[in-house]
Amino acid sequence: MAEVLVLVDHVDGAVRKPTLELLTLARRIGDPVAVHLGPNAAEAAKTLGEYGATRVLARDAAEFADYLVVPKVDALQAAYDAVSPAAVLVPSSTEGKEIAARLAVRIGSGIITDAVDLEAGDEGPVTTQSVFAAAYTTKSRVTKGTPVVTVKPNAVAPEAAAAAGAVEELAVSFGESASGTKVVSRTPRESTGRPELTEAAIVVSGGRGVNGAENFPVIEALADALGAAVGASRAAVDAGWYPHSHQVGQTGKTVSPQLYIAAGISGAIQHRAGMQTSKTIVAVNKDSEAPIFDLVDYGVVGDLFAVVPQLTEEVKTRKG
Ligand SMILES: Cc1cc2nc3c(=O)[nH]c(=O)nc-3n(C[C@H](O)[C@H](O)[C@H](O)COP(=O)(O)OP(=O)(O)OC[C@H]3O[C@@H](n4cnc5c(N)ncnc54)[C@H](O)[C@@H]3O)c2cc1C
């Protein structure tokens, strides 16, 4: 069976969920071969094997941390040359898209970015993209070279399927351009202790109805009671009430949690584009005509400052 390269997204060997999704999709078109760049390959390989990686091509090098993306492109290209895969799948992060694009140029292949699904086709893998604020769904196929595809988080539920996950050292020689842009400093973002927005099973989002940064703790308290991530509408972000990294929607992040709670959000198409595939949607809005109610599984017409704290207390009580 053909092999499919999957570039691993990990933090010091802890494999992130989008990679498990890529492995799940890769199995539809071939045998997944993971490419692990950085430390702790053996630890990562356990997880990668559980989700179907037959092999894990691993390389640790100072270059990956010291310079921007080019060393990783060199390594992914080395894996490509070694494997001759049927396709290359990369997570749709900012970094992932740059790596994928550079690889596609180097190997003379077509690239599809931000796919939300992928299936086998007679003439190669067929991808699905959600475009124009999710108003259209398109299906496309790379027609030149080996398909390079970046896949958005939450495209598919990860499914375990045990495979060998055998670690093999990947030989890479870094080109001259690898050291072209040096990372000169790093400042870790302060951790909130909450799950990552795109990976969270539950997301609680606040909009213009929250009416000020000083009121966002109302949203955060419900999120913490539920073990959820906090999201925000663009109106809330543009007003400076919450960081842009939490914006959900067309120009923010796409989330697809089990439960999405929207408080004080009207449900504009650009917001829906980032959350409408959530499994269960709940909205709290004081306007019964708000468009978000067309989308919800459960809607509460009411003032969020009355409803959300009660919900938080109820969740806490039930959790004991
Ligand atoms: C190109 C483009 C890209 C965009 N990208 C995004 C994006 O990525 N994400 C995004 O979110 N938006 C995006 N937008 C903006 C989008 O069109 C809306 O303007 C935005 O989503 C509105 O945010 P909101 O729902 O918080 O505010 P509003 O539309 O002002 O809605 C506020 C809601 O809160 C309710 N409310 C007020 N007070 C209370 C209360 N006390 N209790 C309960 N409910 C209350 C109101 O009834 C109202 O429904 C984009 C727009 C454009 C043009």
Side-chain angles (χ1 to χ4, degrees):
M1 199 176 189
E3 292 186 308
V4 178
L5 282 187
V6 170
L7 181 62
V8 176
D9 182 12
H10 67 100
V11 180
D12 292 334
V15 179
R16 299 186 62 211
K17 187 168 152 255
T19 302
L20 308 182
E21 296 164 12
L22 292 196
L23 290 169
T24 305
L25 288 174
R27 294 204 308 269
R28 296 181 183 172
I29 51 174
D31 288 330
V33 174
V35 180
H36 178 93
L37 308 178
N40 302 327
E43 181 195 327
K46 283 186 210 144
T47 311
L48 296 167
E50 277 169 29
Y51 283 83
T54 54
R55 301 195 280 154
V56 178
L57 307 182
R59 177 69 200 262
D60 193 9
E63 280 83 350
F64 298 136
D66 290 349
Y67 301 96
L68 293 185
V69 296
V70 180
K72 291 182 180 166
V73 181
D74 286 348
L76 188 57
Q77 187 176 9
Y80 170 85
D81 291 340
V83 170
S84 300
V88 182
L89 306 187
V90 179
S92 261
S93 58
T94 310
E95 182 184 80
K97 282 192 264 194
E98 185 172 352
I99 293 171
R102 284 174 181 263
L103 177 75
V105 170
R106 287 190 188 186
I107 65 177
S109 284
I111 179 171
I112 290 173
T113 55
D114 290 338
V116 294
D117 203 1
L118 178 128
E119 62 210 350
D122 293 341
E123 296 169 83
V126 177
T127 67
T128 305
Q129 287 161 298
S130 179
V131 299
F132 295 131
Y136 286 83
T137 298
T138 60
K139 288 197 185 277
S140 5
R141 184 170 59 76
V142 166
T143 55
K144 181 166 182 276
T146 302
V148 178
V149 181
T150 78
V151 183
K152 281 192 157 194
N154 295 312
V156 69
E159 284 163 26
V167 179
E168 296 170 29
E169 180 72 14
L170 175 67
V172 184
S173 51
F174 296 109
E176 247 177 53
S177 58
S179 53
T181 39
K182 188 164 173 49
V183 176
V184 291
S185 77
R186 278 198 170 76
T187 312
R189 197 176 53 210
E190 267 181 43
S191 170
T192 59
R194 298 190 184 102
E196 221 288 308
L197 185 56
T198 53
E199 295 177 17
I202 306 177
V203 174
V204 183
S205 289
R208 204 195 304 271
V210 175
N211 199 25
E214 66 281 10
N215 298 329
F216 251 88
V218 172
I219 303 297
E220 292 176 332
L222 177 58
D224 291 343
L226 291 165
V230 175
S233 72
R234 178 158 156 181
V237 168
D238 283 354
W241 302 343
Y242 224 67
H244 178 255
S245 54
H246 292 256
Q247 183 179 316
V248 172
Q250 184 187 340
T251 44
K253 291 190 171 149
T254 303
V255 300
S256 194
Q258 295 298 321
L259 172 62
Y260 186 87
I261 303 179
I265 293 178
S266 61
I269 185 169
Q270 296 89 353
H271 187 81
R272 295 159 77 136
M275 46 65 74
Q276 64 193 1
T277 57
S278 305
K279 307 296 170 294
T280 300
I281 299 173
V282 176
V284 182
N285 196 305
K286 65 182 185 186
D287 173 10
S288 63
E289 302 290 315
I292 190 90
F293 286 128
D294 297 340
L295 195 68
V296 300
D297 299 283
Y298 301 97
V300 182
V301 179
D303 184 337
L304 73 90
F305 296 106
V307 175
V308 174
Q310 286 184 57
L311 184 53
T312 306
E313 283 314 309
E314 189 62 28
V315 171
K316 283 188 189 162
T317 309
R318 292 196 184 208
K319 275 166 69 182

